[in-house]
C-alpha cells in the first residue's frame, strides 16, 4: 500500500533528529494533528452526494407502484358515474404492468443499495476506528511499562497512523467502486429514466388517464345537458383529479431530473476521482447535491 | 352495446422502445376515438357511440399490455448492469467490514506499543522501522489479511 502522506510525515519526524528523548514524545500529539489534517475529511462530500442520491432514488419508489395504479384508475373510470363499484381486483392488464413494474422497482432498489453502501463507506468514521484502537492499545500496553505522558503520546501517534491508513484504504475503495460501477450505473439510471419518460410508459400513462377522465366528464355532460349543478360538481371533481395527476406528473419529472443530476455527478466523480484534491472534489460534486436535494420534496409530494 | 374483443398484442417486440412506441400510438388512437365520439355526439347513434367507446377501451387495454411488455424488456436489458452494481455494493460492504475489523485489531495495537518502545529508546532508526512495521500491519489488516 503506497502511503505518500506517511512518507511526508516520517521525513518531518526524522528532521527532528536533534531533539532529546523527551522532545519526540512531546511533539507526538502535534504530529498526530498534522497527520489527521491531511485529507481525512475528503470523503464527506462523497457521503453528501450519495446521501442525496439515496434519498431521491428512494423517494421515487412510489412511481413504480403507480404504474399499475394509473392503469387501474383508468380502467375503473370506464364505468359510468353512479356505478359505485366496490370491486378492488386489479384488471389483468394492470396486473401484467404491476408484475413488470416490480422488476424496474427492484432495479431502483439495486441503485438505492449501491448509494447506501457508498454513503456508509464514505461517511465511515475513522475516528471510531481510532477509538476502538485505543482500547486495544490500552490492553496491549499492559505488557509495556510506559508512564502516562508517553502512553498518551503513543496513543495519539498510533491513532493518527491508524486513522490515516484506514482513511486511505477507505478512499481507495471508494474511488475504485465509483470508477468500476459508473458505466453500469449510467445504463441503469438511463433505464429508470426511460421507464418514466419513454413512449407508452409512465408519463404517457398519466396523460392517457387525464384524457380519459376529461372524456368521461364531457360524456356525462352530453348525456345530461342543462344541469348547472352537475356541471359545477363535475368541474370540482375534474380540478381535484387534475391536481392529483399534476402532482404525480411533477413528481415523475422531478425524479427524472434527480436521476440526471445523479448520473452526471457520478460520472464526473468517476472521471476525476483519481486526480482531484478535496477542494476540487467539493467543487465537482456540490452542484449536483444542490440540484438533487430541492427536487426531493416535489418527488414526495406526488404520492 | 357491442363488446370489442380484447386481444393481447399479437407481436412480441424485443426492445422496450418498440413496445412502448406501439403503446403510445394505441393511447393516442384511443384518445382520438374519444375526441371524435364526443365531437360528433349528436350525429352518432347510441350504438355507434357505444361501439366507438368500446373500441377506445380495447385500444387502452392493448396499450396497457404493450406497456407491460416495454417495462419487462427494459428490465431485462439491464440485468448485467444490475449484477455489476450489486457486486460493487457487496465490495463496499466488505470494505466496511474490514474497516470495522481494523478498529479491533490487537496486532495493530501491539505494533503501536513496539513503536512506543522504539520512541522511548530515542533511536530514530528504530522508530522509523517501528513506524513502517505498524503501517504494514494496518495495511495488511485493511486488506483482510
Amino acid at each position: 500500500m503506497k502511503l505518500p502522506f506517511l512518507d511526508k510525515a516520517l521525513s518531518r519526524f526524522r528532521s527532528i533528529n536533534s531533539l532529546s528523548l523527551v522532545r519526540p514524545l512531546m511533539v507526538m500529539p502535534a504530529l498526530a494533528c498534522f497527520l489527521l489534517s491531511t485529507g481525512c475529511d475528503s470523503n464527506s462530500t462523497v457521503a453528501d452526494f450519495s446521501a442525496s442520491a439515496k434519498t431521491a432514488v428512494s423517494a421515487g419508489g412510489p412511481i413504480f407502484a403507480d404504474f399499475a395504479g394509473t392503469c387501474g384508475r383508468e380502467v375503473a373510470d370506464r364505468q359510468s358515474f353512479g356505478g359505485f363499484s366496490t370491486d378492488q381486483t386489479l384488471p389483468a392488464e394492470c396486473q401484467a404492468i404491476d408484475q413488470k413494474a416490480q422488476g424496474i422497482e427492484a432495479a431502483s432498489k439495486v441503485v438505492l443499495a449501491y448509494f447506501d453502501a457508498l454513503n456508509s463507506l464514505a461517511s465511515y468514521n475513522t475516528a471510531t476506528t481510532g477509538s476502538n484502537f485505543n482500547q486495544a492499545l490500552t490492553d496491549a500496553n499492559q505488557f509495556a511499562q510506559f508512564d502516562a505522558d508517553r502512553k498518551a503520546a503513543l496513543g495519539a501517534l498510533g491513532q493518527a497512523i491508524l486513522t490515516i491508513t484506514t482513511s486511505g484504504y477507505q478512499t481507495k475503495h471508494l474511488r475504485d467502486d465509483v470508477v468500476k460501477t459508473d458505466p453500469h450505473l449510467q445504463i441503469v439510471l438511463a433505464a429508470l429514466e426511460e421507464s418514466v419518460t419513454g413512449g407508452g410508459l409512465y408519463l404517457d400513462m398519466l396523460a392517457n388517464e387525464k384524457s380519459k377522465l376529461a372524456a368521461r366528464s364531457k360524456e356525462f355532460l352530453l348525456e345530461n345537458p342543462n344541469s348547472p349543478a352537475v356541471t359545477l360538481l363535475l368541474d370540482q371533481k375534474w380540478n381535484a383529479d387534475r391536481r392529483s395527476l399534476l402532482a404525480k406528473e411533477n413528481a415523475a419529472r422531478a425524479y427524472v431530473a434527480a436521476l440526471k443530476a445523479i448520473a452526471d455527478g457520478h460520472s464526473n466523480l468517476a472521471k476525476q476521482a483519481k486526480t482531484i484534491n478535496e477542494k476540487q472534489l467539493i467543487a465537482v460534486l456540490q452542484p449536483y447535491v444542490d440540484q438533487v436535494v430541492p427536487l426531493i420534496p416535489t418527488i414526495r409530494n406526488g404520492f | 352495446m357491442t363488446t370489442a374483443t380484447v386481444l393481447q398484442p399479437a407481436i412480441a417486440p424485443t426492445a422496450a422502445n418498440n413496445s412502448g412506441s406501439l403503446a403510445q400510438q394505441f393511447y393516442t388512437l384511443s384518445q382520438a376515438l374519444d375526441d371524435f365520439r364526443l365531437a360528433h355526439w349528436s350525429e352518432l347513434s347510441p350504438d355507434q357511440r357505444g361501439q366507438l367507446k368500446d373500441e377506445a377501451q380495447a385500444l387502452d387495454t392493448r396499450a396497457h399490455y404493450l406497456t407491460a411488455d416495454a417495462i419487462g424488456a427494459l428490465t431485462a436489458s439491464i440485468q448485467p448492469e444490475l449484477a455489476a452494481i450489486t457486486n460493487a455494493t457487496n465490495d463496499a460492504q466488505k470494505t466496511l467490514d474490514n474497516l470495522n475489523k481494523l478498529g479491533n485489531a490487537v496486532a495493530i495495537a501491539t505494533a503501536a506499543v513496539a513503536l512506543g518502545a522504539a520512541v522511548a529508546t530515542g533511536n530514530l532508526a528504530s522508530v522509523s522501522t517501528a513506524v513502517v512495521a505498524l503501517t504494514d500491519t494496518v495495511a495488511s489488516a485493511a486488506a483482510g489479511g
Side-chain angles (χ1 to χ4, degrees):
Chain A
M1 193 176 203
K2 191 87 176 146
L3 297 168
F5 52 82
L6 197 58
D7 293 339
K8 200 173 167 185
L10 280 175
S11 69
R12 241 182 112 138
F13 190 78
R14 286 189 192 107
S15 71
I16 321 171
N17 56 8
S18 62
L19 297 175
S20 67
L21 171 65
V22 180
R23 293 288 295 279
L25 289 172
M26 287 172 65
V27 301
M28 276 183 181
L31 177 60
C33 291
F34 168 76
L35 286 166
L36 284 166
S37 69
T38 51
C40 291
D41 294 332
S42 63
N43 297 322
S44 64
T45 312
V46 179
D48 287 347
F49 173 69
S50 48
S52 65
K54 190 177 84 167
T55 310
V57 172
S58 171
I63 290 174
F64 303 109
D66 202 50
F67 273 87
T70 178
C71 176
R73 291 191 298 272
E74 187 274 307
V75 174
D77 286 343
R78 291 175 189 176
Q79 195 181 47
S80 298
F81 285 113
F84 305 115
S85 170
T86 54
D87 186 8
Q88 297 290 311
T89 312
L90 206 56
E93 64 269 32
C94 303
Q95 285 180 30
I97 287 175
D98 191 38
Q99 189 192 0
K100 303 292 184 184
Q102 284 175 26
I104 202 78
E105 185 178 11
S108 88
K109 284 180 178 168
V110 168
V111 173
L112 183 64
Y114 168 71
F115 280 111
D116 192 30
L118 203 65
N119 177 249
S120 297
L121 186 53
S123 58
Y124 182 84
N125 189 357
T126 51
T128 306
T129 307
S131 161
N132 292 340
F133 161 78
N134 262 346
Q135 183 55 49
L137 184 68
T138 303
D139 296 342
N141 261 337
Q142 290 172 16
F143 303 103
Q145 297 301 313
F146 295 126
D147 61 36
D149 286 348
R150 285 177 181 175
K151 278 181 185 172
L154 175 62
L157 178 61
Q159 187 171 331
I161 290 173
L162 181 73
T163 305
I164 292 289
T165 312
T166 52
S167 176
Y169 174 74
Q170 177 188 17
T171 303
K172 178 187 179 301
H173 276 263
L174 266 174
R175 287 173 174 172
D176 288 352
D177 286 341
V178 165
V179 171
K180 191 171 59 183
T181 311
D182 190 61
H184 307 291
L185 185 72
Q186 296 298 325
I187 291 171
V188 173
L189 290 175
L192 292 177
E193 181 186 332
E194 191 183 338
S195 74
V196 175
T197 60
L201 297 175
Y202 188 62
L203 284 175
D204 277 350
M205 292 178 81
L206 284 182
N208 191 53
E209 183 188 349
K210 190 160 63 177
S211 170
K212 295 294 169 177
L213 272 172
R216 187 190 191 204
S217 292
K218 286 178 193 168
E219 179 185 318
F220 189 81
L221 285 180
L222 286 165
E223 285 172 342
N224 303 276
N226 307 320
S227 175
V230 169
T231 305
L232 187 64
L233 284 173
L234 277 179
D235 195 56
Q236 285 173 345
K237 183 187 181 312
W238 163 245
N239 280 325
D241 288 341
R242 194 178 55 172
R243 273 197 298 274
S244 169
L245 284 175
L246 186 63
K248 287 179 169 58
E249 192 182 313
N250 286 339
R253 292 193 192 284
Y255 178 66
V256 166
L259 290 177
K260 279 182 177 160
I262 293 165
D264 289 348
H266 196 277
S267 171
N268 248 338
L269 180 62
K271 277 179 200 152
Q272 304 189 53
K274 297 199 171 172
T275 54
I276 55 175
N277 61 31
E278 183 187 348
K279 200 172 172 184
Q280 291 166 326
L281 182 70
I282 293 169
V284 163
L285 281 183
Q286 195 58 46
Y288 300 107
V289 176
D290 293 343
Q291 283 177 52
V292 172
V293 170
L295 293 166
I296 293 167
T298 309
I299 301 173
R300 287 184 173 145
N301 280 345
F303 303 94
Chain B
M1 192 179 282
T2 57
T3 304
T5 309
V6 176
L7 294 174
Q8 297 238 11
I11 52 166
T14 52
N17 58 358
N18 286 347
S19 301
S21 295
L22 275 174
Q24 187 182 24
Q25 287 172 37
F26 282 16
Y27 286 134
T28 306
L29 274 173
S30 167
Q31 290 162 21
L33 278 182
D34 283 341
D35 290 345
F36 179 85
R37 178 169 56 92
L38 296 170
H40 298 86
W41 188 261
S42 57
E43 303 155 37
L44 296 167
S45 69
D47 276 354
Q48 287 172 320
R49 289 177 205 152
Q51 188 174 358
L52 284 174
K53 187 175 180 179
D54 288 347
E55 291 296 347
Q57 291 175 356
L59 282 169
D60 283 330
T61 300
R62 287 171 194 163
H64 289 326
Y65 277 116
L66 285 163
T67 294
D69 278 355
I71 302 168
L74 197 58
T75 309
S77 72
I78 55 171
Q79 288 309 308
E81 274 64 42
L82 293 176
I85 294 171
T86 301
N87 285 341
T89 305
N90 293 339
D91 185 57
Q93 192 57 50
K94 193 177 158 194
T95 307
L96 263 178
D97 291 345
N98 280 342
L99 283 168
N100 282 322
K101 278 185 209 160
L102 275 174
N104 298 309
V106 173
I108 298 168
T110 306
V113 169
L115 169 63
V119 169
T121 66
N123 183 330
L124 287 174
S126 302
V127 170
S128 176
T129 305
V131 166
V132 171
L134 173 58
T135 308
D136 286 349
T137 307
V138 173
S140 169

